[in-house]
Amino acid sequence: MSDTDARSKQPAWFLTWGGYILAMLGAFLFASKGIWIKLAYNLQIDASSLIALRLAFATPFFVVFGILTFLRARAKGTNTLPPIDQAPGLYIRTLLVGALGYWVASYTDFESLTTLSPQFERLILFTYPLFVILFGALFFKQPFRLKAVSAFAISYAGLALVFVTDLTTYGSMIVAGALWCTISSVAFALYLLLAKPLIKRMGPSLFTSWAMSGAAIATGIHFLIVHRISDIHLTPPLLTLVIGLAIGATVLPSYLTNFALSRISSQANAIISFINPIFTLAMSALILKQHISLADVAGTILVLVGVGVYVWIDQGYAAAQKAAQSNG
């Protein structure tokens, strides 16, 4: 049975609303990442150990799924990738890009959460499209759209409001956390720019398998440099949190988002992801019992408005470009 035939037999309501439900679940689970990390830090584990455990549990799922995808493509005769010995550079680049996105960006993010609240961390990460625009124009010959950049002034006004409020409440340690999180946002933006041509060449499933393998190698080396394996004391409460972080906040939302994208547009998925910081804000209050100030709420609204304006401008630009190409 083909994928088209299988989808035609699904209930009409699922074809209509299923993509939105899956995207919403994916956004919720992604938003829970900071909560799992904060709870794990209460059990006296550091960032390098926690990220090593996360990848130890999550990577096998991505690798197995990638291998199955590769075998399925080969059985159908649709695999066009060259063998490793004929194009080693392609696979090495994918390992390195994976290390950038799933190790550098993740490790700096984990470090930021040692001092930042999950809601502030999520807001900083949510502005990564600004760095995509800047680096795309500087290094990848992409058009520089000043209107889109100006939209982020709204978001950064929201970040500034939360930053000043947290700085007054928690002191200078917030500065270090904000810097770590900004580095994570920069690394993730570079990852997206570098990964795009590789994903187009390899396909998302196989690329993810190789990228996660590169991250696992880098994470393992990093961990062994600063720790010994015996330093990790995996108690039942910590194991529960690690599984939640690896499966609930990493593996499941990744696949839910991909399944959603097979049913709804990327624009719809991006708009639904706007609720991500709101989920984090609510979970911080309900689970971590953190005080949510008026500045947190106002800052969140400003960040979401700024990113929303950016998406609106970007989609308008894309539509105009598509119309110009069709007319040409």
Side-chain angles (χ1 to χ4, degrees):
M1 181 183 295
S2 68
D3 292 340
T4 302
D5 292 337
R7 288 188 62 187
S8 66
K9 292 186 177 182
Q10 293 175 350
W13 71 267
F14 187 74
L15 291 175
T16 305
W17 293 102
Y20 297 102
I21 295 171
L22 293 172
M24 188 75 71
L25 287 173
F28 174 77
L29 292 175
F30 271 131
S32 71
K33 182 191 67 176
I35 309 301
W36 292 108
I37 294 172
K38 277 293 193 182
L39 291 172
Y41 283 161
N42 290 336
L43 300 179
Q44 307 304 314
I45 186 172
D46 68 310
S48 60
S49 298
L50 186 57
I51 192 174
L53 288 170
R54 176 204 191 195
L55 284 181
F57 281 90
T59 302
F61 288 91
F62 291 109
V63 172
V64 168
F65 189 78
I67 292 173
L68 292 176
T69 302
F70 172 77
L71 293 175
R72 183 181 180 186
R74 189 171 68 175
K76 290 183 175 180
T78 57
N79 176 44
T80 59
L81 282 176
I84 297 177
D85 59 340
Q86 293 184 13
L90 172 65
Y91 297 93
I92 292 173
R93 286 197 304 273
T94 304
L95 291 174
L96 293 175
V97 170
L100 174 65
Y102 293 107
W103 172 55
V104 176
S106 292
Y107 173 70
T108 50
D109 180 34
F110 277 48
E111 282 287 358
S112 75
L113 282 163
T114 60
T115 56
L116 295 184
S117 64
Q119 61 266 28
F120 191 21
E121 172 259 2
R122 182 57 45 183
L123 291 179
I124 295 176
L125 290 180
F126 212 57
T127 60
Y128 71 85
L130 172 63
F131 297 110
V132 173
I133 293 172
L134 295 178
F135 296 143
L138 288 173
F139 306 119
F140 296 88
K141 298 181 180 180
Q142 294 182 0
F144 183 82
R145 300 191 290 278
L146 187 59
K147 287 183 178 180
V149 175
S150 65
F152 283 93
I154 304 172
S155 292
Y156 278 88
L159 288 179
L161 177 61
V162 178
F163 177 79
V164 171
T165 303
D166 283 6
L167 184 64
T168 303
T169 304
Y170 301 107
S172 59
M173 66 178 184
I174 295 299
V175 177
L179 288 174
W180 277 117
C181 200
T182 301
I183 294 171
S184 177
S185 185
V186 168
F188 185 65
L190 287 172
Y191 163 77
L192 291 177
L193 290 166
L194 294 169
K196 186 174 181 178
L198 295 173
I199 293 173
K200 187 176 181 180
R201 180 83 182 277
M202 302 180 75
S205 296
L206 190 58
F207 167 82
T208 301
S209 293
W210 277 88
M212 290 298 292
S213 298
I217 293 169
T219 300
I221 293 172
H222 177 211
F223 175 80
L224 292 175
I225 290 174
V226 298
H227 289 292
R228 295 172 296 182
I229 295 178
S230 59
D231 291 339
I232 294 182
H233 303 288
L234 199 56
T235 61
L238 180 58
L239 177 61
T240 300
L241 294 175
V242 168
I243 292 175
L245 175 62
I247 309 302
T250 305
V251 175
L252 284 179
S254 298
Y255 287 121
L256 285 171
T257 300
N258 288 336
F259 293 150
L261 286 172
S262 70
R263 291 168 171 81
I264 62 176
S265 67
S266 57
Q267 293 91 340
N269 190 73
I271 292 171
I272 289 173
S273 71
F274 286 176
I275 204 168
N276 196 308
I278 298 175
F279 279 143
T280 303
L281 192 71
M283 284 187 283
S284 294
L286 295 174
I287 299 174
L288 300 180
K289 308 300 181 184
Q290 291 194 344
H291 172 69
I292 305 300
S293 66
L294 182 60
D296 288 324
V297 176
T300 299
I301 293 173
L302 286 172
V303 170
L304 294 179
V305 168
V307 175
V309 170
Y310 160 72
V311 171
W312 177 69
I313 293 173
D314 187 62
Q315 295 307 315
Y317 176 84
Q321 193 175 45
K322 185 177 180 180
Q325 290 176 348
S326 61
N327 291 334

